[in-house]
Every structure is written in structure tokens, then in C-alpha cells.
Amino acid sequence: MSGPLRGRDTALALLDDVVARAVDRGAALLLSGEPGSGKTALLDVAAGRAATAGALVVRVSGVEYLADQPGAGLARTVLPLRAELLRLDPVQRDALVAATTAADAVPGPEDLLVFGALLALLRRASRARPLLIVADDLQWLDRTSAAALAFVARRLHGSRVGVLAAARPGHGGVARRSGLPEHRLGPLEPGAAADLLHARFPALSGPVADRLLEAAAGNPLALLELPAALTPQQRAGEDPLPATLPLGDRLRVAFAAGLDELPTATRQLLLVAVLGGAEALRALRGRAGEEPLADLAPAELARVVDVEPRRNGVTFRHPLMPAVAVELATPAERRAAHLRVAELLADDPDRRPWHLADAAPGPDEELAALLEAAAGRAADRGDAAGAVRALRRAADLSVDRPPRARRLAAAAYLEAAVTGRLHVAGRLLVDVRREHRPGRPPLHAAAAAAHLLLQGDGDVHTAHRLLAAAVAAAAEHPGDPRDALVDAVHALVAVCAHGGRPEHRRLLDRAVGLLEPEVPQLVGLAAAVATDPAGVGPQDVERVDAAVGALPAETNPARIVRTAGVALSFDRVVRCREALHRVVVDGRRGGAVAAAVDAIATRCVDDLLSGRWEDSDGLIQEGLDLCDAHGHELARSTLSACRALLAAALGDDRTARDVAGRVLGWAQPRDLRGLEHLARYALGLAALGRGAHEEAYAQVSAVSPAGEPAGHARAALWVPLDLVEAAVGTGRHREAAAHAALLRDAGWARRSPRLAMLVPAAAAVTAPDDRAGALFEEALAVAGADEWPFPLARVHLARGRHLRRRRRTPEAAASLTAALETFQRLGARPWEAQARTELRAAGVATGVDAHALPALTPEEHEIAALAASGLSNREIGERLFLSHRTVAARLRRIFPKLGVVSRAALRDALRLRTGA
């Protein structure tokens, strides 16, 4: 269904039925619905279909200014039938003429004569062709005309006359009371409403569309008119939407009925209710000596609102009515209402400044400062978009250019680093540049620009230079707000993490120094992890645990993802999952998109390390979709590297190579070493899975050189066992031993259960046979190791290899079987194949490795299935029109393909192959 008739299939089918019956034997229907619900559009469709069917369509619409003129609607009904009117019985003809032409006509006892004459006229006119009367806006049709149509509509049986009428709920007068069949048009279903909105305005941003869908409440006219009343920047989500949406002329006219005739006191109190809500009404009732809600009685009688005094509630009959109440008020009335609400909400520091701002006649620095403070609280609550709106309004109210530039820069930073609307951040930075001349730019401007450079094109070097200049200026001329210093440090943390260069540490240390003597704990941890993630000592574990422990009560998405980023280097992300999920959900709704993408990337890396792969691909794709929608190229490449890592673990070697290769092609020219390390980790893991140790060593040692501290490379924490196994597999025993010793000496085992397991396991792989066993036992005895199933299974696999070489078959079989079961459950096919190979070498039957066997042709599969069912070769041949010798030859080819040696094993082999 196209246009405003989307979601009206039921109503259209009903109208088709009425038209079909009307042209045959007479029928009538009353449509009722709120303004803008599509009544007129449905009547238009019905009229068009009736005309196509050969009917004469007579249209009449109620007109509000003629509602008190008796017979006005009747005259418009009779006019197209004037030729037939002249042929009526003279008494009826004269009655109709008098009713439709007399200036002083009033309803009276003679109405029945007029009504009968109209019925006779319509029946006479329908003899030549069917006739359909379409009466719209029945609520504004004069009483005489509406009563005449109702009289006729009840007496149509046996004629070829139809009456279709439309009225608003609660209106329709005589026609409604006449008992005509009625169909109520409710709001569109959510799916149909969204389809209509996006079909007409496909470029709407997600949050804007959500706001409009909520405001329209399924009203088709509102869905078409509300977006049209916005500016292009507002529709794109670049400029904030006003608290009260503009309506446009058609919506204002459609919903103004009942409001514009209310007493002044009622309209003023409605404005207070709209702008201040229940809190303002509660405060008003607490101050008044009498019941102030009594002034709302006229609005109740006009069916505009329902009043609930017990809850200080005023519920408008339609969600658009509050906007109409605001738009009908004069600017002076709106300012007065805002001032009144601000007075009533004097104890609300977040809402009061907004009302004062809406009443302000011009710039006001004190008010701008109040809004700036409210913006900080909004950001802490997790409402980054609300914080941006407050900062931009505060900038508008700023008296001088420096504070205006500072507030715009803070808004730009939130847009770039939290909400992720990079194009909006860019526009705000242009405004900042115009305002700060000739002074130095605010620190937030450099932090915002750094995020734009990183996410837009991965330009880590320019981002670093910008921040270096800003930090130097801030050190020479102190005065930036503390939150700007904190955000600048975190922008530098991002530069260090992605750049992966040791020399970045000097600038970060200088920036942190600007916050002394009281450096926030999270800032200090993030800076340490960014510059030396592998070297951060075990002494920091308690501080990390304290930061992670505070996350359940944290609402600021930026602090959540920063904490989780630190936790990733200590394998504590599993305890951040609930908080990260909240950030992702907010991003799905169009809130903190940049924070949501960071949350997804952090969780994906942790899930891939641990072996929690069930939802990884879907989560990665969700993150990629967000990146594509908002132009986050760096985050997109990071998530692509996660996809390559998942493919490597699952044995999809082609995907791992292709995706990681594309990531390297994007990262290397930009010197994005953190991203390059993640891609090389994926390539190294894929090579290890297929036993290509030389290739694996080349990739992994580029992340973490064997035996050398790689403090700037966080990925070094993820590849300790990979590097040691690859080195041993290529005969580099000295390098492997040196790296295992480095891991133990650096105290990595005290950072997390995963590393506590991998550090002795790496030592065991390089140790002499008489010492390796104890080291493997130490690794497997780590408390909490089972929370990391993939690394744990790899340790079991390494131990099983060691024990098999020492001919300790029962113990080897136990470890190898544990590894095999985990790899099977995870779908880690290369590692599953390695475990099977080791078990077979130990003389242990492992069943059929379905993944490693050649595929059957369709004919071979059918033969195998028939043989598994118990049929003989001859019986199979008869079914398939083959000789029994051909069947025997086919089975001789099928057995090795399925890894079996007899017909008895065919059933289980086929089940394993098909998953049946």
C-alpha cells in the first residue's frame, strides 16, 4: 500500500464491500477517526472505485463556518441532481427547494417532508445509474443536512444508492445517533507507521525517526507533516530537535478545534501542564489557596484532556495536542509560561535552566553557565545527546566569544567521542574556529579533532600533533576546565593505543601531569595501559578490580568503555559485560553510537580470546553496520580484524586471510600498529591452526618479538603461547625459551587466570621432558581457567602431545580427549583436527572427522543411505537402475570417504556428516 493508506487494508476492504453493495442494493457506512487518520483519503479511494464501477458520485463536505446554516450541506447534495429534482412530485420538490434556498430556514416538523423528498430524489436519480453520496467532515455539517443524510442512509435497502460519511470521534451529531454502521480508524500499527515515514522521508536519521514516530502515535497526517516542518539539518540529526515539535499548517488546523475557543486561564494552565508536566502542577497545587486544576474543566468538556487530580496528571486525548497548545500560544504567552514553570521547578537544577533559556530575551552568561552545568550532569547520566543540546544552547546564550567557543568545543567532543556523529562534530569545530580567534583553541576542540581524524581516516600522526600543540598550550596557559583535561588525556590514550609507538608516552605523561596532584584513578590506569600494556605491573590489579566493581552503578557510557578498555589488558571484561550491554543498547537506539562501537569491539576481542564465540559474528556485524552508518572507518577496520580472528579460530582460512589482508592494507600506510597487530594475530592463529609454523612465527613475532619486552603492543598479552609454539615448531628453541622466561619474570601470571595458565604452559612447551609435566600441571590447576575454554583446550592439546611422546598413553588420551571435546563444541575445526591426529597417533579411536573427509556426490550419498538402511547391493541396484556390481564399486569408493570400513558403520557416519 502506498502513501498515507499504508496499514489501512481492513478499512479499504470494508469500503470495497460497501461500494459493491451500494451499486447493487444500497448500503451505508460511517467512518470515524482522529484528525489526520486518513478518513478523507479513504473516501477518495472509495469514490474513485465507485466511479470506475459506473456510479455517479456526489460529494459534500462539512464546512466549519457554515455549520450553523440550516440546509447548507443539503443544497450541495441536491445541486448535482437538479435535473431529477425538477421531475419530482411538486410537493416534495418545493419542500427541498425551500429547505436549500430559504435564508431563514429552521429545523421543524416539516423536516420529515424534506427528508422524504431527498430519499425520493436519490432513488429516482439512481434508476439511470448507481449513486454514491460521500459526506466528509460530518461534524461540521449543519444539523438539518446531517439528519437528512442519516434518514436516507437507514432506508437504502433495495435501491442503488450508497452513503459514505466520515466524522471525528465524539462528533457526527444526528448521524452518529442514528445507528448507522460505523468503522473506527485507529492509529497505524508501528510497522506500517515506520514504513510510511521512511517511504516519504528515507534520509531521516534513526533517533529523529524514533522521535517522530512516538509523537505521531500512528497518525498518518502527522507522519507526513511533522518531518516536513523540520529543517534538513534537523531531519539528518545534525541539529537538535526542539522540545516541542513544529506542526505545520495542516496539522495545526486539524487539531486546533476545541483548543482555540478555550478561556484564557484554561489555555495558560494547559501551557504550564505541557511545559512543566506533573511536577509543575504538583508545585502549583501546593502553593495555591484553591484548586488550580479547576481551570482545566473547559478543556475536559471540549475533549482536549483528561484530568487526574490525584496524580496531578493531565492526559491529552492525542499526543499532538500538547504541540498544538504551544503553537496556538503567542510568543509572549509562551515566555510567560516558561517563566512560571521555571519558578515552579526552582528545585530542579536540570529542567529549570531550560525554561529560563526559553524565556530569555537575549544572551545571558549566568544562564549559560547553568545550562553548561546541566550538560555535565546529563553526560554523567548517559544522556550525551541531551548534554550536546544543553551545551549548544549555552553557547547561544554566551555573552563573550571565549566561553561560547569552549561550550561549542565541549559539544563537538561529545559528538565525536560519544554519540559518534562525526559530521556534526566537524560542523561544530568550524564554529569553534570562528569563535576562538585570536585566542588559543579550547582543549576540547583538539580532543574532538583527534577523534575525527582517528575515526574518519585513521590519521594518527596529525591527531598526535594536534594534541601535542594543545597540551603544550594548556601547560603554558592554564585555565581549561578539568573535564577538558581528562578528555584530552583519553584522546591521547586512543592515539597511543592505535599508534602503538613508544615515543607517544612522553606526551601522555605530560598531559597527565596537568591533572596533578590528584590524577583520577581511571585516567592513570588508562594512561599506563595505553603506553605499556604488557608492562603494567600486578600491583595495578587491585585498582583495576575496583574500577570494574564500580561499573554496575556507572551511567556515563564514556567511562564505561574506558574502564572496559583498561579491563581488557587484565582479562576482566567478563565483569564489564552488563555495563557494556547497556552502552550497546543505547547505541542501537541512536544514543551513544561511538561508545557502543567501542563497547562492541572490546567485548568481541575478549570473547574471541576466551572462546565465547556463540554470538560473536552477529555482534561484529552489528558493529560494522553502525560504523558504516556513521562513517567510523577505524572502528570498522578493528571489527573486521575481529572477524578475521574468529574465522582463523573456526578454520575459515580464506576469510581470515582476505579480511586480515584488507585490514593490513588499510592500517600499515597509516602506521596504525595496534590495528596491524590484531590483524597479524589473526593471520598467525590461522597459520598455527593449519600447522604452518614458519608463517605463524613471522606474523606473531611481528606483534611481540621473542624474548623482548613489547610494552607498547597490547596484543603481546594475547599471543604468548602462540609465539612459543610457533618458535618451537620452527626449531627456534632458544627464542621460545627466552620468551617463556620473559613472561615468567615479568609477572604476567599474576594479572589474570588466563595468563596464569598460559605462562607455565609456555614454559612447559620449552622445558625438558622431566620438568614439562609439572609445568603443565601448574597451568591446568589455575583457579578460573575453565572460564577460558579455547586457551584451556590448547593447553590440554599441548600437554597431550607431550605425554604421547613420552608414551604415557592413558594420561595423553585424557588431555587430548578434553581438548577434542572443547574444540568440537566451539567449532574450532583446525584444532579439532590436530586433537584427532594426536589421539590416533596414541592409538585411540576418535570416530569420524566429518569436516576433514571428502564430500559425497548425490548418487554416492543415496547409495550410502540405502545401504545404511539395510538394503543389499542388488536391492539398491533395482531401486536406482544400477547393476549390483556397480553398487559394490560405488560402496568401495564411499567407505574411505566416510572413514569407515564396513556397512555397519555407515549409519553413524552419515549422521555425523549431515548433522541428522
Side-chain angles (χ1 to χ4, degrees):
M1 192 67 61
S2 64
L5 296 183
R6 289 173 185 264
R8 296 300 190 204
D9 294 345
T10 301
L12 285 168
L14 184 59
L15 289 175
D16 281 343
D17 177 66
V18 171
V19 169
R21 289 188 289 114
V23 300
D24 180 38
R25 59 186 182 277
L29 180 69
L30 175 65
L31 284 177
S32 65
E34 297 286 352
S37 59
K39 301 183 298 296
T40 300
L42 286 165
L43 291 181
D44 289 343
V45 171
R49 293 178 179 177
T52 302
L56 171 63
V57 178
V58 175
R59 302 203 63 157
V60 57
S61 294
V63 180
E64 191 170 6
Y65 67 83
L66 294 177
D68 296 328
Q69 297 296 316
L74 194 58
R76 296 195 299 278
T77 305
V78 171
L79 185 61
L81 307 174
R82 190 158 189 83
E84 296 298 334
L85 175 63
L86 298 176
R87 299 187 181 95
L88 274 183
D89 175 89
V91 175
Q92 292 179 322
R93 180 190 64 211
D94 292 344
L96 266 180
V97 170
T100 58
T101 60
D104 58 348
V106 294
E110 67 275 12
D111 278 355
L112 287 179
L113 176 59
V114 175
F115 298 167
L118 176 63
L119 179 61
L121 173 65
L122 297 180
R123 283 182 174 272
R124 184 180 184 88
S126 68
R127 292 174 186 171
R129 58 190 296 197
L131 178 63
L132 180 67
I133 306 297
V134 177
D136 201 358
D137 286 327
L138 202 62
Q139 72 276 359
W140 289 325
L141 206 62
D142 63 278
R143 181 184 177 281
T144 300
S145 300
L149 285 176
F151 177 89
V152 166
R154 291 196 304 271
R155 293 165 174 80
L156 296 176
H157 184 70
S159 71
R160 296 200 298 168
V161 179
V163 174
L164 285 178
R168 295 182 179 182
H171 299 278
V174 176
R176 176 174 297 281
R177 294 191 295 272
S178 66
L180 292 180
E182 181 178 351
H183 177 70
R184 174 72 180 270
L185 290 176
L188 295 179
E189 294 293 327
D195 287 346
L196 174 58
L197 182 66
H198 291 298
R200 189 63 64 90
F201 299 95
L204 282 177
S205 77
V208 173
D210 291 342
R211 172 87 183 274
L212 295 177
L213 286 169
E214 180 182 6
N219 185 284
L221 181 62
L223 291 166
L224 300 177
E225 293 293 313
L226 287 175
L230 301 176
T231 67
Q233 292 76 22
Q234 288 172 330
R235 287 196 291 269
E238 297 174 2
D239 284 346
L241 297 181
T244 303
L245 292 172
L247 297 180
D249 292 339
R250 291 179 66 194
L251 275 179
R252 191 183 305 109
V253 169
F255 283 90
L259 269 173
D260 50 3
E261 297 179 0
L262 293 175
T264 300
T266 301
R267 288 192 292 107
Q268 289 175 342
L269 190 54
L270 281 178
L271 270 182
V272 171
V274 171
L275 300 175
E279 294 85 354
L281 292 179
R282 185 181 300 112
L284 183 64
R285 296 181 73 191
R287 296 182 184 187
E290 56 187 43
E291 177 53 68
L293 297 189
D295 284 334
L296 294 177
E300 272 197 295
L301 291 174
R303 298 177 57 82
V304 172
V305 296
D306 291 320
V307 181
E308 302 172 45
R310 291 185 179 180
R311 297 195 298 119
N312 301 295
V314 174
T315 303
F316 284 83
R317 291 294 183 95
H318 192 278
L320 289 174
M321 295 299 286
V324 177
V326 173
E327 288 216 0
L328 288 178
T330 65
E333 288 173 333
R334 286 196 290 269
R335 285 195 296 271
H338 278 296
L339 285 174
R340 192 178 186 190
V341 172
E343 180 189 0
L344 293 170
L345 300 180
D347 296 330
D348 189 332
D350 293 322
R351 296 180 61 192
R352 178 174 174 267
W354 277 106
H355 292 289
L356 291 174
D358 286 334
D364 184 326
E365 185 57 35
E366 182 180 353
L367 183 52
L370 290 176
L371 274 175
E372 187 176 11
R377 291 188 293 272
D380 283 341
R381 291 194 304 271
D383 183 11
V388 168
R389 287 195 297 273
L391 285 166
R392 294 179 71 169
R393 186 70 179 104
D396 291 339
L397 292 167
S398 301
V399 174
D400 297 320
R401 296 176 74 178
R404 186 180 303 120
R406 185 188 72 242
R407 288 156 183 156
L408 288 172
Y413 177 80
L414 286 174
E415 292 284 26
V418 185
T419 69
R421 299 189 302 178
L422 304 184
H423 57 293
V424 179
R427 286 177 49 215
L428 289 171
L429 286 177
V430 172
D431 294 338
V432 172
R433 186 170 181 271
R434 292 171 180 153
E435 293 293 340
H436 75 72
R437 293 176 177 174
R440 73 175 178 87
L443 197 53
H444 259 140
H451 277 284
L452 285 179
L453 289 164
L454 280 175
Q455 286 299 343
D457 193 43
D459 189 351
V460 69
H461 294 304
T462 305
H464 180 261
R465 286 197 300 272
L466 267 177
L467 288 169
V471 168
E476 187 174 348
H477 304 286
D480 284 282
R482 188 169 176 81
D483 66 319
L485 290 169
V486 169
D487 291 336
V489 169
H490 284 292
L492 274 168
V493 164
V495 166
C496 292
H498 293 298
R501 306 180 72 86
E503 58 267 28
H504 290 167
R505 180 169 188 165
R506 291 191 298 274
L507 177 60
L508 187 52
D509 288 343
R510 186 177 185 184
V512 172
L514 297 178
L515 291 166
E516 292 178 346
E518 296 182 9
V519 179
Q521 176 173 284
L522 182 57
V523 172
L525 283 172
V529 168
T531 55
D532 192 10
V536 175
Q539 68 276 7
D540 292 309
V541 170
E542 289 186 7
R543 291 201 297 157
V544 174
D545 285 338
V548 170
L551 284 183
E554 182 58 73
T555 55
N556 187 316
R559 282 200 287 269
I560 290 173
V561 295
R562 290 166 182 172
T563 302
V566 170
L568 184 61
S569 294
F570 291 82
D571 294 329
R572 299 298 202 273
V573 174
V574 68
R575 293 168 52 194
C576 307
R577 289 172 70 91
E578 188 275 332
L580 289 174
H581 178 70
R582 284 188 271 122
V583 175
V584 173
V585 169
D586 184 54
R588 288 171 183 162
R589 295 169 179 163
V593 172
V597 171
D598 286 342
I600 289 172
T602 299
R603 205 190 114 178
C604 284
V605 172
D606 185 68
D607 287 352
L608 292 169
L609 289 172
S610 66
R612 301 179 185 92
W613 303 342
E614 299 86 352
D615 303 321
S616 290
D617 192 62
L619 194 60
I620 290 170
Q621 187 58 54
E622 179 177 3
L624 290 172
D625 291 342
L626 284 174
C627 291
D628 289 341
H630 294 84
H632 291 213
E633 293 300 326
L634 177 57
R636 192 187 199 292
S637 292
T638 301
L639 289 165
S640 295
C642 290
R643 174 161 282 175
L645 189 58
L646 178 62
L650 295 174
D652 185 355
D653 202 60
R654 174 177 293 181
T655 297
R657 285 171 174 267
D658 290 348
V659 176
R662 288 196 296 272
V663 171
L664 283 175
W666 194 81
Q668 286 177 317
R670 294 165 171 81
D671 276 343
L672 294 168
R673 296 184 182 178
L675 180 57
E676 179 185 343
H677 292 160
L678 190 58
R680 291 196 181 281
Y681 175 27
L683 291 171
L685 186 66
L688 273 179
R690 63 177 185 276
H693 291 93
E694 192 64 49
E695 180 185 344
Y697 184 80
Q699 297 292 350
V700 180
S701 62
V703 176
S704 177
E708 298 180 20
H712 59 282
R714 180 162 62 175
L717 295 167
W718 306 334
V719 298
L721 186 59
D722 305 72
L723 180 56
V724 169
E725 286 188 334
V728 169
T730 60
R732 295 179 172 88
H733 297 283
R734 186 179 63 181
E735 289 87 344
H739 200 69
L742 176 70
L743 300 177
R744 187 174 288 273
D745 293 343
W748 282 19
R750 296 194 295 276
R751 293 171 67 118
S752 72
R754 181 183 68 89
L755 290 169
M757 172 178 58
L758 293 183
V759 168
V765 171
T766 66
D769 286 349
D770 58 340
R771 292 179 50 210
L775 289 168
F776 276 123
E777 294 300 330
E778 178 187 342
L780 295 173
V782 169
D786 55 350
E787 295 181 6
W788 302 86
F790 184 55
L792 178 61
R794 289 184 60 188
V795 173
H796 273 300
L797 177 60
R799 177 176 181 265
R801 283 196 182 106
H802 163 74
L803 293 172
R804 182 187 63 76
R805 287 197 305 270
R806 300 197 68 191
R807 301 185 184 280
R808 292 167 60 179
T809 301
E811 295 170 89
S815 260
L816 293 170
T817 300
L820 176 62
E821 290 174 351
T822 299
F823 293 141
Q824 283 179 316
R825 176 171 56 82
L826 295 176
R829 290 163 54 182
W831 311 94
E832 177 187 344
Q834 290 185 30
R836 288 185 185 280
T837 299
E838 290 294 334
L839 278 167
R840 286 171 181 157
V844 179
T846 63
V848 179
D849 181 1
H851 299 305
L853 295 173
L856 300 180
T857 67
E859 181 190 67
E860 288 172 343
H861 191 279
E862 190 169 12
I863 291 172
L866 292 172
S869 71
L871 297 183
S872 66
N873 288 357
R874 189 174 298 279
E875 290 170 326
I876 294 171
E878 289 175 355
R879 288 200 180 193
L880 302 181
F881 304 100
L882 299 172
S883 72
H884 66 90
R885 294 186 181 86
T886 300
V887 172
R890 297 287 192 275
L891 284 172
R892 284 195 295 273
R893 290 209 308 258
I894 290 169
F895 284 173
K897 282 189 174 186
L898 290 177
V900 300
V901 295
S902 68
R903 298 168 80 98
L906 279 174
R907 183 187 299 272
D908 290 339
L910 285 173
R911 282 178 178 168
L912 183 61
R913 172 68 68 99
T914 62

